[in-house]
Amino acid sequence: MKILVIGNGGREHTLVWKLAQSPRVSALYCAPGNAGIRQLATCVPIKVDDLAGLKNFAQEKEIDLTVVGPELPLSLGIADEFRKAKLRIFGPTRNAACIESSKSFAKDLLLRCHVPTPKAKTFEQLDHALEYIDGHSVPLVVKADGLAQGKGVVIARTKEEANDAVTNMLEQRQFGEAGTRVMIEEFLDGEELTLMAFADGRTVIPMIAAQDHKQVGEGDTGPNTGGMGAYAPAPIATDSLRQRIVRDILNPVVEGLSRVGSPYYGVLYAGLMIHRGEPYVLEFNARFGDPETQVVLPLLKTDLVDVLEAVVEHRLDQMPIEWHDEAAVCVVLASYGYPGPYQSGLPISGLSALDHASDLLAFHAGTATQGKEVVTSGGRVLGVTALGPDLRSARTRVYEAVNLITFDGQYHRRDIAHRAVPTP
Ligand code: AMP
Ligand code: GLY
């Protein structure tokens, strides 16, 4: 089979790494890819939002299956375009992907399906939003309705902060089009959990539950990032909690989308808050999570090609999916300054030290090749993942590996997985 992966981050490197292990794969391409992906797949310089370019490439190379990493092409309708052209693609249609690209769409769907989620109200007019804030107690959560690269959420501890957030979004157009509508949501405390699932329009099969660390600073402090690390399995997700999430959240949502004529094919990512023992949906994503994928896919025993094909052919109900009984911890190595401005083009050394360790993986996120050298090219540069018999040993191992990789200004959190394993 010839496979094309779309994207250029750590998530896509992990997808390519896992797909490359399949005896069924004869050729592997990635658009546009990065320096790590290049070692496993042929990288082609087509941007993720160039739908026509991607479709032409898939037709020309007679790609048997295209796997979409990021949300942008999904929200632009890449799955619709490919299906029209009779090209097989793993990912939801534009309408189904609205569960991620419109928070108000997702909220309406959740309410219609009686899925537990924090109370919220949507506004397009600033004076109405300010009035609502005035009449409610803080903390409040202000969210841009559209795609804002994970930056469109403000936890407002005071009314001033909430007022500023809605003003920035609705009046200053801080997030452009994505913030012409805002959602003001009730704040829920608790522990967060990511449960991703494969869905084929009817059947839902959950993956191993994970937790990510969104904030840049240790102890989960400071501004939000694209993710500074992750671990799986998350101990908070007992078998019974996972079953409840499938029964009370994922199944009703997949059924609800089918009922409105937008059956969901792909990965359904539920971002949950476990509040007083009950799971509430904070957000959905229409794709694999990043960095969660860097810890979940290394634990997958089954051939990923078989699973993706079962989704595309709507026969997940006949697809046994097996997992390794191990744990994984991923630490993201970032550029100094991230998520603010940072320097790029800095040489990375020590990567080859991981080559022969079967329990260590280095997934590239923001890297490029410059001559023979691998250099930094993004805020999140690498995700280093270690596997182990349990979280504690995976965590010890990942930090041994992280110390071997250096570049100027390398920053990482030293407390990944601290909720599951106390930091030494
Ligand atoms: P989201 O992009 O909606 O997942 O929000 C980003 C982050 O903001 C989440 O991972 C949570 O840490 C936090 N968050 C979002 N909504 C809420 C909420 N209603 N209550 C508490 N924290 C929230
Ligand atoms: N880890 C959060 C996301 O993938 O959006």
Side-chain angles (χ1 to χ4, degrees), residues 216 218 228 331-334 399 402-403 410-415:
V216 73
E218 287 168 10
M228 294 302 296
V331 175
V332 169
L333 311 192
Y399 281 108
V402 159
N403 289 330
Q410 191 252 70
Y411 168 77
H412 63 264
R413 279 182 57 171
R414 290 167 301 176
D415 66 342

Side-chain angles (χ1 to χ4, degrees), residues 4-319:
L4 166 65
V5 174
I6 297 175
N8 63 350
R11 163 184 51 213
E12 288 76 21
H13 191 179
T14 316
L15 282 164
V16 164
W17 166 81
K18 181 69 185 163
L19 291 167
Q21 290 164 25
S22 171
R24 299 185 56 202
V25 174
S26 58
L28 197 49
Y29 298 92
C30 187
N34 62 33
I37 293 174
R38 179 159 298 131
Q39 294 166 15
L40 300 167
T42 306
C43 290
V44 284
I46 310 174
K47 293 214 174 84
V48 302
D49 60 352
D50 178 4
L51 302 198
L54 292 165
K55 189 172 85 179
N56 289 341
F57 179 81
Q59 281 172 326
E60 206 176 284
K61 293 284 181 197
E62 298 179 333
I63 298 293
D64 299 297
L65 179 65
T66 297
V67 186
V68 188
E71 60 276 21
L72 181 61
L74 294 168
S75 73
L76 296 173
I78 193 168
D80 311 66
E81 290 297 314
F82 271 53
R83 285 200 188 96
K84 254 190 259 160
K86 302 262 181 292
L87 290 164
R88 295 204 306 173
I89 186 160
F90 179 86
T93 59
R94 179 186 183 137
N95 283 345
C98 282
I99 54 145
E100 173 166 7
S101 59
S102 168
K103 297 215 186 258
S104 50
F105 173 91
K107 194 61 106 179
D108 289 345
L109 178 71
L110 288 168
L111 294 177
R112 272 206 315 279
C113 298
H114 308 289
V115 169
T117 183
K119 288 190 201 70
K121 208 162 157 55
T122 305
F123 299 92
E124 287 176 10
Q125 276 179 281
L126 181 61
D127 51 341
H128 293 171
L130 294 173
E131 207 177 301
Y132 181 86
I133 293 166
D134 194 41
H136 285 78
S137 51
V138 283
L140 284 170
V141 186
V142 178
K143 300 185 174 183
D145 188 66
L147 295 179
Q149 295 176 325
K151 296 179 189 120
V153 176
V154 176
I155 312 281
R157 306 269 163 198
T158 64
K159 293 203 177 186
E160 288 70 35
E161 279 171 22
N163 290 342
D164 285 350
V166 293
T167 309
N168 287 339
M169 291 183 200
L170 288 175
E171 201 169 80
Q172 313 292 335
R173 292 277 183 259
Q174 184 187 10
F175 298 109
E177 275 297 299
T180 52
R181 204 187 278 165
V182 301
M183 200 164 78
I184 305 180
E185 195 171 76
E186 164 198 18
F187 175 86
L188 287 186
D189 58 15
E191 195 167 335
E192 284 185 69
L193 182 68
T194 297
L195 189 61
M196 300 188 278
F198 296 103
D200 71 352
R202 265 181 319 142
T203 305
V204 173
I205 302 187
M207 302 184 211
I208 291 196
Q211 276 184 339
D212 70 345
H213 293 268
K214 290 197 175 72
Q215 284 168 286
V216 73
E218 287 168 10
D220 298 316
T221 54
N224 269 344
T225 68
M228 294 302 296
Y231 58 101
I236 185 180
T238 56
D239 280 346
S240 87
L241 180 62
R242 254 163 43 106
Q243 280 163 16
R244 265 168 54 209
I245 295 167
V246 174
R247 187 192 64 201
D248 300 339
I249 296 175
L250 299 175
N251 277 336
V253 164
V254 168
E255 278 164 24
L257 282 166
S258 287
R259 256 200 316 274
V260 297
S262 297
Y264 195 91
Y265 317 121
V267 168
L268 180 58
Y269 168 125
L272 306 158
M273 183 67 86
I274 312 304
H275 172 72
R276 299 185 185 151
E278 296 296 320
Y280 290 79
V281 175
L282 296 186
E283 67 160 345
F284 279 127
N285 291 325
R287 49 164 176 87
F288 283 100
D290 194 343
E292 289 94 331
T293 302
Q294 287 90 305
V295 289
V296 171
L297 284 189
L299 297 175
L300 177 64
K301 202 191 265 180
T302 309
D303 187 332
L304 182 60
V305 177
D306 292 344
V307 182
L308 302 184
E309 203 170 43
V311 169
V312 173
E313 295 175 356
H314 317 310
R315 48 176 180 74
L316 255 188
D317 57 337
Q318 293 149 40
M319 181 72 227

